[in-house]
Amino acid sequence: MENLNKITNKYINNYIKNKYVLEFVNKSAELCEPDKIYFCNGSEEEKKFLTGEAIKTGELIELKQEKFPGCVLHRTAINDVARTEHLTYICTTKKEDAGPTNNWMAPKDAYEELGEYFRDSMKGRTMYVIPFMMGVPGSKMNKIGVEITDSIYVVLNMRIMTHIGRIVADDIIGDNFTKGLHSKGDISLEKRRICHFPEDNTIWSINSGYGGNVLLGKKCLALRIASYLGRKEGWLAEHMLLMEIQTPDGKIFYVAGAFPSSCGKTNLSMLIPPESLPGYKVRVLGDDIAWMYIGDDGRLWAINPEAGFFGVVPGTNMKTNKNAMLTIQKNTIFTNVLLKEDKTVWWEGMENPPDKGIDWKGDAWTKESKEPGTHPNSRFTTPTSQCPALSSEFSNPKGVPVSAVLFGGRRGNVVPLVYESFNWKHGVFIGATLRSETTAAAMGLGKIVRNDPMAMIPFCGYNMGDYFAHWLDLGKRMKFPPKIFFVNWFRKNREGKFLWPGYGENLRVIEWIIKQCDSDNNNKEKEAVETPVGYVPEIDAINTKGIEISKQDIKELLSIDKNEWLEEADEVEKFFSKFDRMPKELTKELNDLRERLKNSK
Ligand code: GTP
Ligand code: SPV
Ligand code: MN
């Protein structure tokens, strides 16, 4: 505590009494040497003040307030537009504990290397201390963290995405909080590192200013650290949307869904039912992360630990996602979109393209420009509470019981629109063998189909072999496990056009799914056909009333090609062979799939 006194004169607004937090702040300040240390209280005045400061330096651009009250635009550096998976590490004492799919560094080496990058990184800057909570107020699942950062953009995003400031202070008990240290540093790609120390409940992130790398409550805590804790404590932290579906006869179902980054979670979670499917109501609980635990009733329960949406901008419009469009009309931070002359914003896929504007790099843009005005991974940060379709259960500390778990990918071929697993174990296999085309949400991956088990390849904080075992184990402990499905909105025809209309029309697939989960439905078997990969809808079982789609296209969407699937099995085998800790139940599932395929026509 001696050192503390040395820097007390730098403290502003310090309301924290917890000595472990103060020690953490003090140590970080000794390393980073900020000019000032500011404790965020989370108030409205503070938001105004910090926004004003960031506008002065150009870190934020104020949008036309009469049209978009409380909205601002931020541009990241050109080399800092998405997560950098090759620079993201799990730093466990033993390399095997990080597993074959994570980058690994020994904790000692990581602290040493990053320590050099952090040294004096905040000279001339203010250090912001953000106490925050991931979870639902009152929930036993909640996790507390303290993020230290030199970025106002981070503070303002964290205040949307999580619960920050004074309201959290009393919840920090002893040293039971995640210590997150972030500095923009010099944004150099060579020295960028996002390191997780699950054994120390610590995250260090340096030389980036991009959301997924720097909003440490989100992917770093709520997925990587939380998945590690979930395994120890018997629950799951997943890259999943959470939605509520009310059927025309008033029944309510909750569905959780894991699709890889930029593969449709936000859009599905808040879809608007098509007019030709009357009586349905869809409400959102979450669009990116779900924490799930086994309830006393033997069902799987889930909460969304986030308080905001950090959503993909391009492709969002009044037709594809009206609820998102209505949500982002106020108090929203836009990152890397096009700025119009009237100080409003536009992006590819939105109505009424302007003639000209300033693109995401800050350069002049016209509609003739070859380059898009908006970065493909541009994002909005917006409070969940502003969504007109928010479920009232969003703030239920107990969460909601999940009837169906969806896995989904972006696959132009091979994978049908939807299929159902035979049972939990087979469902875990389906999740573990998820393969999807890479997207702009991560830098430097190119355009390939890659294995992304449970959409967690970038986010699992421990050995994925152990992760699969954990999933299998949970199934054994649940009396009423949810059913597991796979969906693919992205199958294309020979001309390269999407076969399925997607977006709101995806409710037609969700309808089939919840009918398969409905204990009152005696028609289940008639509506599904058994195939080697799982149950697929009977050709007439997907309601296509009101959309123009030919029988032929539906057939193609639901088709399973034996040879393509045998090749798929070969890819899965290659992927599985990376693991020393692959549960034998899953290798057996792979053999069984091959047998079923070989014996089929
Ligand atoms: P992260 O936030 O990165 O985890 O992504 P996400 O899974 O929430 O993806 P999101 O819903 O933001 O969708 C990503 C992109 O896919 C957007 O450009 C959408 O317009 C597009 N998309 C979403 N749903 C569909 C669909 O059903 N069909 C088609 N063709 N495109 C879709
Ligand atoms: C994702 O990439 O899956 C996201 C955006 O949800 S980020 O928070 O940047 O990771
Ligand atoms: Mn995501």
Side-chain angles (χ1 to χ4, degrees), residues 219 239 259-267 287-288 310 312 314-315 379 410 441 489-490 498 502-503 506:
K219 304 296 173 147
H239 191 204
F259 314 156
S261 302
S262 214
C263 288
K265 291 182 299 299
T266 303
N267 280 268
D287 79 329
D288 200 49
F310 185 58
V312 174
R379 300 261 165 182
R410 193 181 270 273
W489 318 137
F490 301 94
F498 289 122
Y503 300 104
N506 291 333

Side-chain angles (χ1 to χ4, degrees), residues 205-494:
S205 167
I206 178 88
N207 291 324
S208 174
Y210 168 72
N213 287 341
V214 301
L215 308 178
L216 301 185
K218 193 173 174 60
K219 304 296 173 147
C220 301
L221 194 170
L223 287 178
R224 298 195 188 97
I225 298 282
S227 61
Y228 174 93
L229 293 172
R231 179 180 175 234
K232 284 210 293 201
E233 298 165 7
W235 53 280
L236 289 168
E238 296 297 325
H239 191 204
M240 286 187 182
L241 67 88
L242 200 54
M243 68 195 288
E244 174 182 299
I245 298 112
Q246 185 178 324
T247 65
D249 51 5
K251 281 189 192 162
I252 301 250
F253 292 86
Y254 295 98
V255 172
F259 314 156
S261 302
S262 214
C263 288
K265 291 182 299 299
T266 303
N267 280 268
L268 185 68
S269 69
M270 51 184 82
L271 73 77
I272 295 193
E275 274 172 27
S276 48
L277 238 55
Y280 276 97
K281 293 206 169 80
V282 171
R283 303 180 192 102
V284 54
L285 286 103
D287 79 329
D288 200 49
I289 297 177
W291 286 351
M292 310 204 282
Y293 67 96
I294 302 176
D296 296 336
D297 59 359
R299 292 190 289 177
L300 188 65
W301 289 71
I303 64 159
N304 165 18
E306 299 193 281
F309 303 122
F310 185 58
V312 174
V313 167
T316 308
N317 62 48
M318 289 303 268
K319 275 214 184 83
T320 55
N321 195 347
K322 186 174 174 187
N323 280 321
M325 289 299 281
L326 296 176
T327 309
I328 61 181
Q329 298 300 311
K330 55 182 183 189
N331 307 319
T332 297
I333 301 170
F334 293 93
T335 301
N336 289 342
V337 300
L338 181 111
L339 179 66
K340 296 200 315 192
E341 277 186 324
D342 65 354
K343 296 270 173 190
T344 65
V345 285
W346 181 84
W347 47 82
E348 275 69 21
M350 186 172 149
E351 298 84 354
N352 308 323
D355 292 336
K356 56 184 176 179
I358 312 283
D359 72 8
W360 67 273
K361 296 178 183 169
D363 296 332
W365 179 94
T366 69
K367 62 180 179 201
E368 281 81 34
S369 298
K370 282 197 190 77
E371 297 281 317
T374 297
H375 190 274
N377 189 45
S378 54
R379 300 261 165 182
F380 53 74
T381 320
T382 198
T384 317
S385 59
Q386 289 181 187
C387 182
L390 189 67
S391 162
S392 59
E393 295 304 294
F394 168 72
S395 46
N396 186 339
K398 202 173 159 206
V400 293
V402 175
S403 297
V405 166
L406 317 184
F407 295 114
R410 193 181 270 273
R411 291 299 296 274
N413 51 24
V414 186
V415 180
L417 180 63
V418 57
Y419 63 101
E420 180 185 343
S421 64
F422 299 121
N423 50 49
W424 181 267
K425 211 197 296 172
H426 179 234
V428 173
F429 173 75
I430 285 178
T433 57
L434 194 166
R435 289 157 44 75
S436 189
E437 288 159 24
T438 45
T439 65
M443 282 171 69
L445 293 179
K447 250 208 163 327
I448 50 160
V449 174
R450 72 159 170 179
N451 289 87
D452 191 352
M454 282 80 172
M456 282 288 278
I457 204 88
F459 308 122
C460 184
Y462 60 101
N463 188 316
M464 272 203 132
D466 296 337
Y467 171 77
F468 299 143
H470 183 43
W471 264 86
L472 291 168
D473 179 55
L474 240 76
K476 289 176 200 141
R477 288 170 37 218
M478 255 181 297
K479 202 161 166 209
F480 306 107
K483 289 196 170 200
I484 300 180
F485 299 80
F486 199 97
V487 298
N488 175 27
W489 318 137
F490 301 94
R491 194 144 167 179
K492 290 178 175 168
N493 64 14
R494 246 166 261 125

